[in-house]
Amino acid sequence: MNWQDKLRYRYNLANIVEKLIVINIAMFILTFAVNTIAFLLTGNQYSTGFLTEWLSFPKDLLDFAIRPWSIITYAFMHAGIFHILSNMIILYFSGQFFLTFYSSKRLVNFYVLGAIFGALIFSLSYNIFPAFQGTGKSYLIGASASVMAVLVGVATKAPNMQVRLLIFGNLKLWWIASFLVVVDFIQIPFGNPGGHLAHLGGALLGYIYTKQLDKGNDIGAWIEDSINWFSNFFKATKSPKMKTVHKSKTKSKSRKSTPNKANQEKVDQILDKISKSGYDSLTKAEKDFLFNAGKDL
């Protein structure tokens, strides 16, 4: 396998929580690299934030109308190491608990809806309430609203599930979620009120979404449908690969490569199955085949 196949193999073995973390880290590295290059080329520190500005969610409604994608992309941007580290740690542990009760696609629904609802609360806080005007940042970045949606969502589903922390021992999920919600409430008067309200918006979305699921209503189904539509659209627009016909003198070489090609096709099918339904959906035979194929990496 070439290095692209190896990366695809490793990425597809990861669950959705790990994939979201990879995307967040990749965006953080990309932003840092672009900003650094911009500074080295211009020598102007004010020219280094154009990528962040382009992908962050603005408090001004006119700016949002110019870049509507920012209502989602901001949830994959972070301001610093501590910012992304704290969010990814909470996302990892809460996400693993989440997958105990819900599917990978539903976790994406929570993540995206949490981002959207948090951004709307952020925008409303600055454009409706005069007390917030002129305070805090003019844009919103970070996965906090999405992470809070996942955390509060699973804490609502299984409030008494316990998490073992090295310092504090066993803590119930609802204790942890409640503590983070209270911290955001307390911090509102001390700076960046819109950001903290966005976190609370994500938390509220997580609670409402879980309660609606308990009633049989999936308020985030449209997100899953939209992702499926885009996925199918891009698959349909891909041009078919050209097939090469070998002459008779290369038959022996073609026959020799057929088993490897067949194995690769089977690996691809298994990886696609993992991507859609998760590793646990594989049969024992498929897991054994994938394990043996991995030895050739």
Side-chain angles (χ1 to χ4, degrees), residues 99-119:
L99 294 178
T100 304
F101 304 97
Y102 299 116
S103 67
S104 297
K105 292 182 177 180
R106 190 153 286 167
L107 188 144
V108 174
N109 295 350
F110 270 77
Y111 191 97
V112 174
L113 265 188
I116 294 174
F117 201 70

Side-chain angles (χ1 to χ4, degrees), residues 262-273:
N263 288 344
Q264 182 59 49
E265 289 177 350
K266 189 170 181 179
V267 168
D268 290 340
Q269 292 174 356
I270 295 175
L271 293 178
D272 288 338
K273 185 176 180 181

